[in-house]
Amino acid sequence: MPQIAQLAATYSSQIFWLLLTFGFVFFVIGLGMVPKVQSTVDARDAKIADDLATAKASFARADELEEQNRARDAEARANAQAIVAAAKAKAAKDAEKKVATEDKKIAAKLAEAEDAIRAASAKALAEIEAVSAEAAQDMVARISGASVSAADAKKAVKAALNG
Amino acid sequence: MAAESGKIDPMHQFAIEPLFGTDQLALGGYNIAFTNSALWMVITAVVLWIFVAGGMKRQLVPGRWQMAVEFFTGFINKLMMENVGEAGKKYVPYVFSIFMFILMANLLGLLPIGIFGLHPFTPTSHFTVTGVLAIMSFSIVLIVGFWKHGLHFFSLFVPHGTPLPMIPVIFPIELVSFLVRPFSLGLRLFVAMTAGHVLLKVLAGFVINSTNAGAGYGALVGIPSFTLMIGISALEMLVACIQAYVFALLTSLYINDAEHLH
């Protein structure tokens, strides 16, 4: 086994070159370069964490804005609804009033018309009586030759017409 | 130990050979020859440097390479955060270095560049190397422990709620289990790497020797061995990653002990 057989002859050279090469590795690479690599990684991690925090804050701000918008929206809608309701109520009242006045007017017209009809029918009836009385006077004179006074004829017609 | 299996020695891959005629290079009386082991440690360090440097573009939106590097730093960062907590951040460079160094060394040692006549070498299959790495981790635990807690650090060896008469028994047991840590840390990696490489080389030896013995033997022994090698190569890559992870994980757990005691 050369590790043992050559130990006495080679240990000093092995140790010397190991210390030299490992010293180079430790001082140049370990102490010189590794912290720089590590600081790059740390800087990147910090940047990522920062960016994430910023994004989170932006998200929160956006949520807040949306909430505000929503509140404003709801308020505007409530206002609009109130205005619409008021307008509707006013329109309904106006319409009612108009209908009432028109109703009154129509009722007056109706009463007038009814009166006119009643008067016309009374007049017509009176005329019919007069005509009937004359006709009855004539008929009596022709048939019996007796003359009947206009007043008697009228009385008889009235009695016949009204039963 | 493997001389009987023909010319193929499965242990030869661990042999250390000085390169470029530097076998007499010395520093303060100690030999510091530039060996194949040293070469692969240098390759490991350079490949690791290229890998991490490619991920240094520092873009906000990372490319693939940057993602890969950030995956590893993030992985170690997470490991330390989970096991040690906020105090673990300052150990990330060390644990990253040790994890990536072991991972790269393990994986580079598995490169199939033998087919080009080159010999990959796994430094982490030598306990001289893994032992030094383990001692480093253990030293950090000791230094941090005594620095932060002083002599109070010894309370680590007395678990909470230990009855008073049990303390003389528990204390040595905990102390031994603590002192064994660097050995288990270093030996685990060394053994896992060595065993895997030996197994692959032994199976490769089967393929070559059986084929040399004739086409029939080659079909009978070589093909199943080769199939097995494919599976074990995949397993070895997994082991390479797992052992690096285990080393880093145990280091982080020991550092947690030093930081927070219990």
Side-chain angles (χ1 to χ4, degrees):
Chain A
M1 203 173 191
Q3 285 97 325
I4 296 168
Q6 293 185 308
L7 182 61
T10 61
Y11 78 96
S12 53
S13 115
Q14 293 250 68
I15 293 171
F16 173 77
W17 287 102
L18 173 65
L19 292 180
L20 203 67
T21 52
F22 187 75
F24 168 79
V25 168
F26 177 61
F27 287 107
V28 175
I29 299 174
L31 288 179
M33 295 157 102
V34 169
K36 283 182 191 157
V37 173
Q38 205 52 43
S39 74
T40 310
V41 175
D42 291 345
R44 180 181 313 124
D45 288 350
K47 173 130 180 59
I48 290 171
D50 265 13
D51 286 358
L52 279 180
T54 314
K56 207 175 262 180
S58 299
F59 258 118
R61 177 96 189 97
D63 278 353
E64 198 179 302
L65 283 178
E66 201 185 323
E67 199 54 47
Q68 281 176 6
N69 267 357
R70 202 169 289 165
R72 209 175 298 149
D73 215 38
E75 200 180 314
R77 187 165 298 167
N79 276 349
Q81 262 161 3
I83 288 168
V84 166
K88 237 182 217 170
K90 196 173 167 242
K93 213 179 261 174
D94 281 3
E96 224 164 76
K97 217 181 266 170
K98 230 176 236 171
V99 166
T101 53
E102 290 300 311
D103 267 359
K104 242 178 239 166
K105 261 186 212 163
I106 289 168
K109 239 179 213 170
L110 270 177
E112 212 171 280
E114 263 166 20
D115 283 354
I117 289 167
R118 211 170 293 139
S121 69
K123 201 175 154 203
L125 211 60
E127 248 162 52
I128 285 170
E129 266 175 30
V131 171
S132 306
E134 234 167 82
Q137 217 175 335
D138 279 357
M139 274 189 281
V140 168
R142 269 226 201 133
I143 292 165
S144 61
S147 75
V148 182
S149 72
D152 284 344
K154 219 173 212 170
K155 212 187 223 171
V157 165
K158 217 172 226 172
L161 271 180
N162 291 335
Chain B
M1 96 182 236
E4 58 270 22
S5 67
K7 286 160 258 168
I8 296 145
D9 176 8
M11 302 312 282
H12 180 67
Q13 58 178 326
F14 304 118
I16 290 175
E17 290 149 10
L19 301 174
F20 314 122
T22 57
D23 48 331
Q24 293 309 320
L25 201 63
L27 183 77
Y30 290 103
N31 179 296
I32 56 161
F34 190 78
T35 60
N36 49 353
S37 170
L39 173 68
W40 282 90
M41 286 193 265
V42 170
I43 291 173
T44 299
V46 169
V47 168
L48 183 53
W49 181 75
I50 292 169
F51 175 67
V52 179
M56 290 278 289
K57 293 196 205 87
R58 318 196 64 178
Q59 287 166 332
L60 185 63
V61 178
R64 290 176 195 189
W65 197 318
Q66 196 183 336
M67 280 285 271
V69 174
E70 284 173 3
F71 167 77
F72 281 108
T73 60
F75 174 68
I76 296 300
N77 206 39
K78 194 163 149 269
L79 179 81
M80 295 309 285
M81 283 299 281
E82 279 171 2
N83 290 326
V84 188
E86 201 55 49
K89 283 238 172 194
K90 55 181 174 288
Y91 303 102
V92 167
Y94 173 73
V95 178
F96 178 83
S97 301
I98 209 146
F99 173 72
M100 292 306 279
F101 187 80
I102 293 170
L103 181 66
M104 284 289 174
N106 289 353
L107 288 177
L108 288 172
L110 283 170
L111 284 181
I113 55 174
I115 53 174
F116 303 119
L118 300 166
H119 295 290
F121 183 90
T122 316
T124 44
S125 66
H126 276 252
F127 60 73
T128 319
V129 172
T130 61
V132 170
L133 293 175
I135 288 167
M136 276 197 280
S137 286
F138 192 67
S139 310
I140 287 175
V141 171
L142 285 182
I143 291 166
V144 169
F146 281 113
W147 188 280
K148 272 192 77 123
H149 306 289
L151 290 179
H152 194 61
F153 183 59
F154 283 107
S155 75
L156 183 65
F157 307 128
V158 184
H160 267 302
T162 312
L164 200 63
M166 291 298 284
I167 285 177
V169 187
I170 296 283
F171 188 86
I173 294 173
E174 288 281 327
L175 183 65
V176 167
S177 93
F178 181 77
L179 292 177
V180 158
R181 281 173 178 186
F183 296 97
S184 74
L185 203 54
L187 284 176
R188 182 182 293 110
L189 178 58
F190 148 70
V191 165
M193 284 302 113
T194 303
H197 282 261
V198 168
L199 187 56
L200 281 176
K201 279 290 179 336
V202 167
L203 288 170
F206 283 171
V207 176
I208 292 167
N209 285 337
S210 65
T211 312
N212 284 345
Y217 287 112
L220 195 69
V221 179
I223 291 172
S225 297
F226 189 71
T227 316
L228 196 56
M229 274 183 77
I230 293 172
I232 289 175
S233 294
L235 188 69
E236 276 309 299
M237 299 225 272
L238 185 68
V239 169
C241 300
I242 287 175
Q243 288 302 325
Y245 173 64
V246 165
F247 205 103
L249 179 70
L250 288 177
T251 300
S252 76
L253 290 176
Y254 297 162
I255 287 174
N256 181 43
D257 277 353
E259 277 281 335
H260 303 124
L261 293 180
H262 275 295

PDB file of all heavy atoms in Angstrom, chain B residues 109-125:
ATOM      1  N   GLY B 109     -10.122  12.616  -9.800  1.00  0.00           N
ATOM      2  CA  GLY B 109      -9.405  11.343  -9.700  1.00  0.00           C
ATOM      3  C   GLY B 109     -10.130  10.218 -10.404  1.00  0.00           C
ATOM      4  O   GLY B 109      -9.546   9.168 -10.678  1.00  0.00           O
ATOM      5  N   LEU B 110     -11.428  10.417 -10.700  1.00  0.00           N
ATOM      6  CA  LEU B 110     -12.207   9.375 -11.388  1.00  0.00           C
ATOM      7  C   LEU B 110     -12.227   9.578 -12.896  1.00  0.00           C
ATOM      8  O   LEU B 110     -12.814   8.783 -13.622  1.00  0.00           O
ATOM      9  CB  LEU B 110     -13.655   9.384 -10.873  1.00  0.00           C
ATOM     10  CG  LEU B 110     -13.893   8.744  -9.509  1.00  0.00           C
ATOM     11  CD1 LEU B 110     -15.297   9.063  -9.041  1.00  0.00           C
ATOM     12  CD2 LEU B 110     -13.695   7.253  -9.577  1.00  0.00           C
ATOM     13  N   LEU B 111     -11.596  10.664 -13.375  1.00  0.00           N
ATOM     14  CA  LEU B 111     -11.626  10.920 -14.821  1.00  0.00           C
ATOM     15  C   LEU B 111     -11.038   9.741 -15.585  1.00  0.00           C
ATOM     16  O   LEU B 111      -9.987   9.231 -15.215  1.00  0.00           O
ATOM     17  CB  LEU B 111     -10.821  12.187 -15.142  1.00  0.00           C
ATOM     18  CG  LEU B 111     -11.470  13.526 -14.824  1.00  0.00           C
ATOM     19  CD1 LEU B 111     -10.532  14.652 -15.226  1.00  0.00           C
ATOM     20  CD2 LEU B 111     -12.795  13.667 -15.554  1.00  0.00           C
ATOM     21  N   PRO B 112     -11.694   9.316 -16.649  1.00  0.00           N
ATOM     22  CA  PRO B 112     -11.197   8.156 -17.405  1.00  0.00           C
ATOM     23  C   PRO B 112     -10.127   8.558 -18.410  1.00  0.00           C
ATOM     24  O   PRO B 112     -10.198   8.197 -19.579  1.00  0.00           O
ATOM     25  CB  PRO B 112     -12.461   7.652 -18.103  1.00  0.00           C
ATOM     26  CG  PRO B 112     -13.268   8.882 -18.316  1.00  0.00           C
ATOM     27  CD  PRO B 112     -12.953   9.823 -17.189  1.00  0.00           C
ATOM     28  N   ILE B 113      -9.113   9.335 -17.955  1.00  0.00           N
ATOM     29  CA  ILE B 113      -8.101   9.771 -18.911  1.00  0.00           C
ATOM     30  C   ILE B 113      -7.008   8.726 -19.066  1.00  0.00           C
ATOM     31  O   ILE B 113      -6.052   8.949 -19.798  1.00  0.00           O
ATOM     32  CB  ILE B 113      -7.492  11.121 -18.491  1.00  0.00           C
ATOM     33  CG1 ILE B 113      -6.946  11.024 -17.080  1.00  0.00           C
ATOM     34  CG2 ILE B 113      -8.530  12.223 -18.592  1.00  0.00           C
ATOM     35  CD1 ILE B 113      -6.212  12.263 -16.638  1.00  0.00           C
ATOM     36  N   GLY B 114      -7.173   7.579 -18.383  1.00  0.00           N
ATOM     37  CA  GLY B 114      -6.216   6.479 -18.570  1.00  0.00           C
ATOM     38  C   GLY B 114      -6.160   6.024 -20.018  1.00  0.00           C
ATOM     39  O   GLY B 114      -5.113   5.586 -20.496  1.00  0.00           O
ATOM     40  N   ILE B 115      -7.289   6.166 -20.735  1.00  0.00           N
ATOM     41  CA  ILE B 115      -7.305   5.719 -22.128  1.00  0.00           C
ATOM     42  C   ILE B 115      -6.436   6.599 -23.020  1.00  0.00           C
ATOM     43  O   ILE B 115      -6.111   6.220 -24.138  1.00  0.00           O
ATOM     44  CB  ILE B 115      -8.751   5.657 -22.682  1.00  0.00           C
ATOM     45  CG1 ILE B 115      -9.476   6.981 -22.464  1.00  0.00           C
ATOM     46  CG2 ILE B 115      -9.524   4.515 -22.065  1.00  0.00           C
ATOM     47  CD1 ILE B 115     -10.849   7.009 -23.110  1.00  0.00           C
ATOM     48  N   PHE B 116      -6.032   7.783 -22.507  1.00  0.00           N
ATOM     49  CA  PHE B 116      -5.104   8.616 -23.281  1.00  0.00           C
ATOM     50  C   PHE B 116      -3.675   8.415 -22.775  1.00  0.00           C
ATOM     51  O   PHE B 116      -2.785   9.182 -23.133  1.00  0.00           O
ATOM     52  CB  PHE B 116      -5.483  10.088 -23.169  1.00  0.00           C
ATOM     53  CG  PHE B 116      -6.885  10.383 -23.619  1.00  0.00           C
ATOM     54  CD1 PHE B 116      -7.815  10.911 -22.749  1.00  0.00           C
ATOM     55  CD2 PHE B 116      -7.275  10.093 -24.928  1.00  0.00           C
ATOM     56  CE1 PHE B 116      -9.110  11.163 -23.167  1.00  0.00           C
ATOM     57  CE2 PHE B 116      -8.562  10.344 -25.345  1.00  0.00           C
ATOM     58  CZ  PHE B 116      -9.493  10.875 -24.474  1.00  0.00           C
ATOM     59  N   GLY B 117      -3.471   7.422 -21.908  1.00  0.00           N
ATOM     60  CA  GLY B 117      -2.132   7.164 -21.393  1.00  0.00           C
ATOM     61  C   GLY B 117      -1.751   8.025 -20.214  1.00  0.00           C
ATOM     62  O   GLY B 117      -0.629   7.968 -19.734  1.00  0.00           O
ATOM     63  N   LEU B 118      -2.706   8.853 -19.719  1.00  0.00           N
ATOM     64  CA  LEU B 118      -2.420   9.677 -18.547  1.00  0.00           C
ATOM     65  C   LEU B 118      -2.892   8.936 -17.303  1.00  0.00           C
ATOM     66  O   LEU B 118      -3.742   8.045 -17.379  1.00  0.00           O
ATOM     67  CB  LEU B 118      -3.136  11.024 -18.665  1.00  0.00           C
ATOM     68  CG  LEU B 118      -2.731  11.861 -19.885  1.00  0.00           C
ATOM     69  CD1 LEU B 118      -3.719  12.981 -20.107  1.00  0.00           C
ATOM     70  CD2 LEU B 118      -1.327  12.417 -19.690  1.00  0.00           C
ATOM     71  N   HIS B 119      -2.352   9.317 -16.160  1.00  0.00           N
ATOM     72  CA  HIS B 119      -2.726   8.619 -14.934  1.00  0.00           C
ATOM     73  C   HIS B 119      -3.384   9.578 -13.969  1.00  0.00           C
ATOM     74  O   HIS B 119      -2.707  10.409 -13.373  1.00  0.00           O
ATOM     75  CB  HIS B 119      -1.499   7.974 -14.298  1.00  0.00           C
ATOM     76  CG  HIS B 119      -0.925   6.892 -15.147  1.00  0.00           C
ATOM     77  ND1 HIS B 119      -1.563   5.693 -15.340  1.00  0.00           N
ATOM     78  CD2 HIS B 119       0.197   6.851 -15.896  1.00  0.00           C
ATOM     79  CE1 HIS B 119      -0.840   4.939 -16.150  1.00  0.00           C
ATOM     80  NE2 HIS B 119       0.238   5.616 -16.526  1.00  0.00           N
ATOM     81  N   PRO B 120      -4.706   9.477 -13.838  1.00  0.00           N
ATOM     82  CA  PRO B 120      -5.344  10.324 -12.832  1.00  0.00           C
ATOM     83  C   PRO B 120      -4.916   9.871 -11.440  1.00  0.00           C
ATOM     84  O   PRO B 120      -4.659   8.689 -11.215  1.00  0.00           O
ATOM     85  CB  PRO B 120      -6.844  10.085 -13.052  1.00  0.00           C
ATOM     86  CG  PRO B 120      -6.926   8.761 -13.697  1.00  0.00           C
ATOM     87  CD  PRO B 120      -5.678   8.587 -14.506  1.00  0.00           C
ATOM     88  N   PHE B 121      -4.846  10.821 -10.544  1.00  0.00           N
ATOM     89  CA  PHE B 121      -4.429  10.532  -9.179  1.00  0.00           C
ATOM     90  C   PHE B 121      -5.399  11.229  -8.236  1.00  0.00           C
ATOM     91  O   PHE B 121      -5.841  12.345  -8.501  1.00  0.00           O
ATOM     92  CB  PHE B 121      -3.002  11.050  -8.958  1.00  0.00           C
ATOM     93  CG  PHE B 121      -2.460  10.728  -7.597  1.00  0.00           C
ATOM     94  CD1 PHE B 121      -1.771   9.549  -7.379  1.00  0.00           C
ATOM     95  CD2 PHE B 121      -2.644  11.607  -6.545  1.00  0.00           C
ATOM     96  CE1 PHE B 121      -1.269   9.245  -6.124  1.00  0.00           C
ATOM     97  CE2 PHE B 121      -2.153  11.302  -5.296  1.00  0.00           C
ATOM     98  CZ  PHE B 121      -1.460  10.121  -5.078  1.00  0.00           C
ATOM     99  N   THR B 122      -5.774  10.514  -7.182  1.00  0.00           N
ATOM    100  CA  THR B 122      -6.734  11.080  -6.238  1.00  0.00           C
ATOM    101  C   THR B 122      -6.011  11.439  -4.944  1.00  0.00           C
ATOM    102  O   THR B 122      -5.723  10.549  -4.148  1.00  0.00           O
ATOM    103  CB  THR B 122      -7.860  10.079  -5.938  1.00  0.00           C
ATOM    104  OG1 THR B 122      -8.266   9.494  -7.155  1.00  0.00           O
ATOM    105  CG2 THR B 122      -9.029  10.752  -5.278  1.00  0.00           C
ATOM    106  N   PRO B 123      -5.696  12.699  -4.725  1.00  0.00           N
ATOM    107  CA  PRO B 123      -4.990  13.072  -3.482  1.00  0.00           C
ATOM    108  C   PRO B 123      -5.754  12.638  -2.237  1.00  0.00           C
ATOM    109  O   PRO B 123      -5.139  12.300  -1.223  1.00  0.00           O
ATOM    110  CB  PRO B 123      -4.901  14.597  -3.566  1.00  0.00           C
ATOM    111  CG  PRO B 123      -5.058  14.920  -5.007  1.00  0.00           C
ATOM    112  CD  PRO B 123      -5.935  13.863  -5.581  1.00  0.00           C
ATOM    113  N   THR B 124      -7.102  12.614  -2.338  1.00  0.00           N
ATOM    114  CA  THR B 124      -7.904  12.270  -1.152  1.00  0.00           C
ATOM    115  C   THR B 124      -7.868  10.776  -0.843  1.00  0.00           C
ATOM    116  O   THR B 124      -8.511  10.330   0.091  1.00  0.00           O
ATOM    117  CB  THR B 124      -9.365  12.696  -1.357  1.00  0.00           C
ATOM    118  OG1 THR B 124      -9.771  12.329  -2.669  1.00  0.00           O
ATOM    119  CG2 THR B 124      -9.540  14.175  -1.167  1.00  0.00           C
ATOM    120  N   SER B 125      -7.117   9.979  -1.651  1.00  0.00           N
ATOM    121  CA  SER B 125      -6.974   8.568  -1.299  1.00  0.00           C
ATOM    122  C   SER B 125      -5.712   8.358  -0.462  1.00  0.00           C
ATOM    123  O   SER B 125      -5.320   7.212  -0.211  1.00  0.00           O
ATOM    124  CB  SER B 125      -6.921   7.709  -2.570  1.00  0.00           C
ATOM    125  OG  SER B 125      -5.761   8.005  -3.300  1.00  0.00           O
TER     126      SER B 125
END
